Amino acid sequence: THNLEVFAEHWLYLPLFGFALLSGYLLWELAQKKPAQAAVLSVLLFAAYAARTVARNRDWRDPEVFWEKTLSQQPLCARALNNLGAVYLQEGKTERARELFSEAMKVKPDYPFALINLAKSLELAGDLAGAEELLAGAFKLPNITPYLKYLQCAIGDLNIRKKDYIASAAAFRRA
């Protein structure tokens, strides 16, 4: 399985600047020769972009809707699977969150946030040993170094739940 994240709107901000300049210039050129047609085209473009903006704003009304919409368009996006799982975890839907974190790990086995969140979902479900095993295994991920502070915080949280406050404090200090 492959992590498929082929499109993100924020990747288009800079390229769209050039497109907007070119479009504006072409519209200006058209207005010089055929002002009525340029006006109609301007109104149609404005209406089309306004309608698309209103439709897209509905997707952003809350995180759950946003990530569900993202997954409907990119079902193999590990980040979307993880983030929707995080939303469910916050809502107390631990089992569904765990399924999504597990799916994210299948799509991208070296994804630190999915692994840390999967461990958190196990912890909240009472499987402290399973959570500890996952977190210990996270140190073997090839790309874990930038995420060590998150991993140490997760270990600290787990140790609080285990009532091992000394180990918890040590993990938080390492973070």
Side-chain angles (χ1 to χ4, degrees):
T1 319
H2 301 285
N3 181 40
L4 186 61
E5 193 166 333
V6 294
F7 179 77
E9 291 168 347
H10 61 273
W11 294 346
L12 294 177
Y13 293 159
L14 191 57
L16 277 176
F17 180 73
F19 177 75
L21 281 177
L22 178 62
S23 298
Y25 173 74
L26 292 174
L27 196 56
W28 181 78
E29 284 289 324
L30 179 62
Q32 300 303 310
K33 297 173 184 152
K34 299 179 180 181
Q37 291 170 330
V40 169
L41 182 59
S42 295
V43 169
L44 290 175
L45 284 172
F46 178 80
Y49 285 125
R52 182 63 190 127
T53 298
V54 167
R56 187 65 174 142
N57 282 344
R58 287 188 203 113
D59 298 340
W60 286 84
R61 71 178 170 263
D62 66 57
E64 185 174 343
V65 170
F66 175 78
W67 291 115
E68 285 177 349
K69 180 71 170 182
T70 301
L71 279 175
S72 74
Q73 296 168 348
Q74 298 181 51
L76 296 178
C77 179
R79 182 168 56 121
L81 288 161
N82 177 68
N83 290 354
L84 182 57
V87 169
Y88 286 144
L89 195 60
Q90 288 177 340
E91 293 175 353
K93 301 173 183 174
T94 310
E95 183 62 35
R96 181 66 180 128
R98 189 170 39 250
E99 291 168 5
L100 289 164
F101 298 141
S102 295
E103 186 63 28
M105 292 298 299
K106 288 177 190 168
V107 171
K108 189 174 180 185
D110 62 346
Y111 189 30
F113 286 134
L115 186 142
I116 291 167
N117 286 334
L118 179 57
K120 186 66 174 177
S121 70
L122 291 174
E123 174 191 331
L124 292 174
D127 183 0
L128 303 184
E132 188 168 33
E133 183 180 333
L134 271 178
L135 293 174
F139 287 102
K140 298 174 187 167
L141 292 176
N143 61 339
I144 194 61
T145 303
Y147 305 96
L148 283 173
K149 64 182 173 185
Y150 302 107
L151 177 58
Q152 291 296 347
C153 286
I155 291 169
D157 285 345
L158 177 63
N159 283 321
I160 287 173
R161 190 164 302 260
K162 291 170 50 182
K163 300 190 185 326
D164 186 347
Y165 302 112
I166 293 171
S168 177
F172 286 125
R173 275 194 299 278
R174 287 189 299 271

mmCIF file of all heavy atoms in Angstrom, residues 78-94:
data_model
loop_
_atom_site.group_PDB
_atom_site.id
_atom_site.type_symbol
_atom_site.label_atom_id
_atom_site.label_comp_id
_atom_site.label_asym_id
_atom_site.label_seq_id
_atom_site.Cartn_x
_atom_site.Cartn_y
_atom_site.Cartn_z
ATOM 1 N N ALA A 78 -2.289 8.785 4.624
ATOM 2 C CA ALA A 78 -2.006 8.439 6.020
ATOM 3 C C ALA A 78 -2.260 9.618 6.951
ATOM 4 O O ALA A 78 -2.765 9.439 8.060
ATOM 5 C CB ALA A 78 -0.561 7.959 6.156
ATOM 6 N N ARG A 79 -1.944 10.819 6.512
ATOM 7 C CA ARG A 79 -2.158 11.993 7.359
ATOM 8 C C ARG A 79 -3.650 12.190 7.634
ATOM 9 O O ARG A 79 -4.051 12.473 8.760
ATOM 10 C CB ARG A 79 -1.573 13.238 6.703
ATOM 11 C CG ARG A 79 -1.720 14.481 7.554
ATOM 12 C CD ARG A 79 -0.891 15.637 7.045
ATOM 13 N NE ARG A 79 -1.199 15.961 5.665
ATOM 14 C CZ ARG A 79 -1.645 17.148 5.265
ATOM 15 N NH1 ARG A 79 -1.832 18.111 6.133
ATOM 16 N NH2 ARG A 79 -1.887 17.371 3.998
ATOM 17 N N ALA A 80 -4.486 12.025 6.624
ATOM 18 C CA ALA A 80 -5.925 12.183 6.814
ATOM 19 C C ALA A 80 -6.475 11.081 7.717
ATOM 20 O O ALA A 80 -7.326 11.349 8.584
ATOM 21 C CB ALA A 80 -6.643 12.196 5.472
ATOM 22 N N LEU A 81 -6.013 9.859 7.533
ATOM 23 C CA LEU A 81 -6.442 8.756 8.404
ATOM 24 C C LEU A 81 -6.069 9.044 9.857
ATOM 25 O O LEU A 81 -6.880 8.891 10.768
ATOM 26 C CB LEU A 81 -5.804 7.439 7.951
ATOM 27 C CG LEU A 81 -6.347 6.851 6.651
ATOM 28 C CD1 LEU A 81 -5.367 5.841 6.060
ATOM 29 C CD2 LEU A 81 -7.705 6.222 6.879
ATOM 30 N N ASN A 82 -4.828 9.479 10.066
ATOM 31 C CA ASN A 82 -4.368 9.797 11.412
ATOM 32 C C ASN A 82 -5.157 10.955 12.009
ATOM 33 O O ASN A 82 -5.590 10.900 13.160
ATOM 34 C CB ASN A 82 -2.871 10.139 11.377
ATOM 35 C CG ASN A 82 -2.361 10.552 12.732
ATOM 36 O OD1 ASN A 82 -2.278 9.758 13.650
ATOM 37 N ND2 ASN A 82 -2.049 11.830 12.873
ATOM 38 N N ASN A 83 -5.343 12.008 11.242
ATOM 39 C CA ASN A 83 -6.009 13.188 11.795
ATOM 40 C C ASN A 83 -7.485 12.954 12.076
ATOM 41 O O ASN A 83 -8.018 13.467 13.072
ATOM 42 C CB ASN A 83 -5.805 14.384 10.869
ATOM 43 C CG ASN A 83 -4.360 14.860 10.874
ATOM 44 O OD1 ASN A 83 -3.539 14.380 11.639
ATOM 45 N ND2 ASN A 83 -4.048 15.795 10.010
ATOM 46 N N LEU A 84 -8.154 12.167 11.233
ATOM 47 C CA LEU A 84 -9.544 11.818 11.542
ATOM 48 C C LEU A 84 -9.581 10.929 12.780
ATOM 49 O O LEU A 84 -10.455 11.086 13.643
ATOM 50 C CB LEU A 84 -10.222 11.130 10.356
ATOM 51 C CG LEU A 84 -11.690 10.767 10.556
ATOM 52 C CD1 LEU A 84 -12.533 12.002 10.904
ATOM 53 C CD2 LEU A 84 -12.255 10.081 9.314
ATOM 54 N N GLY A 85 -8.617 10.036 12.902
ATOM 55 C CA GLY A 85 -8.524 9.222 14.112
ATOM 56 C C GLY A 85 -8.345 10.079 15.353
ATOM 57 O O GLY A 85 -8.946 9.820 16.398
ATOM 58 N N ALA A 86 -7.536 11.138 15.249
ATOM 59 C CA ALA A 86 -7.321 12.042 16.382
ATOM 60 C C ALA A 86 -8.624 12.754 16.766
ATOM 61 O O ALA A 86 -8.908 12.951 17.954
ATOM 62 C CB ALA A 86 -6.227 13.050 16.049
ATOM 63 N N VAL A 87 -9.412 13.128 15.759
ATOM 64 C CA VAL A 87 -10.714 13.753 16.033
ATOM 65 C C VAL A 87 -11.595 12.773 16.802
ATOM 66 O O VAL A 87 -12.203 13.125 17.820
ATOM 67 C CB VAL A 87 -11.403 14.201 14.720
ATOM 68 C CG1 VAL A 87 -12.857 14.588 14.971
ATOM 69 C CG2 VAL A 87 -10.642 15.354 14.080
ATOM 70 N N TYR A 88 -11.655 11.530 16.323
ATOM 71 C CA TYR A 88 -12.479 10.521 16.999
ATOM 72 C C TYR A 88 -11.968 10.230 18.414
ATOM 73 O O TYR A 88 -12.757 10.014 19.331
ATOM 74 C CB TYR A 88 -12.548 9.236 16.181
ATOM 75 C CG TYR A 88 -13.422 9.343 14.955
ATOM 76 C CD1 TYR A 88 -13.084 8.694 13.777
ATOM 77 C CD2 TYR A 88 -14.588 10.091 14.963
ATOM 78 C CE1 TYR A 88 -13.886 8.780 12.651
ATOM 79 C CE2 TYR A 88 -15.399 10.187 13.850
ATOM 80 C CZ TYR A 88 -15.038 9.530 12.694
ATOM 81 O OH TYR A 88 -15.832 9.623 11.589
ATOM 82 N N LEU A 89 -10.653 10.227 18.579
ATOM 83 C CA LEU A 89 -10.088 9.979 19.899
ATOM 84 C C LEU A 89 -10.522 11.078 20.867
ATOM 85 O O LEU A 89 -10.907 10.797 22.000
ATOM 86 C CB LEU A 89 -8.562 9.916 19.807
ATOM 87 C CG LEU A 89 -7.820 9.325 21.003
ATOM 88 C CD1 LEU A 89 -8.251 7.883 21.240
ATOM 89 C CD2 LEU A 89 -6.324 9.405 20.778
ATOM 90 N N GLN A 90 -10.512 12.331 20.414
ATOM 91 C CA GLN A 90 -10.966 13.443 21.253
ATOM 92 C C GLN A 90 -12.454 13.340 21.577
ATOM 93 O O GLN A 90 -12.894 13.792 22.630
ATOM 94 C CB GLN A 90 -10.688 14.779 20.566
ATOM 95 C CG GLN A 90 -9.228 15.145 20.538
ATOM 96 C CD GLN A 90 -8.967 16.440 19.791
ATOM 97 O OE1 GLN A 90 -9.793 16.888 18.995
ATOM 98 N NE2 GLN A 90 -7.824 17.043 20.043
ATOM 99 N N GLU A 91 -13.225 12.753 20.667
ATOM 100 C CA GLU A 91 -14.665 12.588 20.891
ATOM 101 C C GLU A 91 -14.986 11.356 21.735
ATOM 102 O O GLU A 91 -16.147 11.075 21.999
ATOM 103 C CB GLU A 91 -15.384 12.483 19.541
ATOM 104 C CG GLU A 91 -15.351 13.760 18.721
ATOM 105 C CD GLU A 91 -15.973 13.589 17.339
ATOM 106 O OE1 GLU A 91 -16.318 12.447 16.940
ATOM 107 O OE2 GLU A 91 -16.105 14.614 16.646
ATOM 108 N N GLY A 92 -13.952 10.605 22.112
ATOM 109 C CA GLY A 92 -14.160 9.413 22.919
ATOM 110 C C GLY A 92 -14.499 8.166 22.116
ATOM 111 O O GLY A 92 -14.855 7.143 22.679
ATOM 112 N N LYS A 93 -14.384 8.239 20.797
ATOM 113 C CA LYS A 93 -14.660 7.091 19.930
ATOM 114 C C LYS A 93 -13.356 6.315 19.727
ATOM 115 O O LYS A 93 -12.787 6.255 18.633
ATOM 116 C CB LYS A 93 -15.229 7.560 18.588
ATOM 117 C CG LYS A 93 -16.522 8.351 18.730
ATOM 118 C CD LYS A 93 -16.968 8.931 17.405
ATOM 119 C CE LYS A 93 -18.212 9.784 17.565
ATOM 120 N NZ LYS A 93 -18.581 10.468 16.322
ATOM 121 N N THR A 94 -12.895 5.703 20.814
ATOM 122 C CA THR A 94 -11.569 5.096 20.862
ATOM 123 C C THR A 94 -11.404 3.957 19.866
ATOM 124 O O THR A 94 -10.363 3.856 19.202
ATOM 125 C CB THR A 94 -11.280 4.590 22.290
ATOM 126 O OG1 THR A 94 -11.559 5.645 23.204
ATOM 127 C CG2 THR A 94 -9.853 4.156 22.444
#
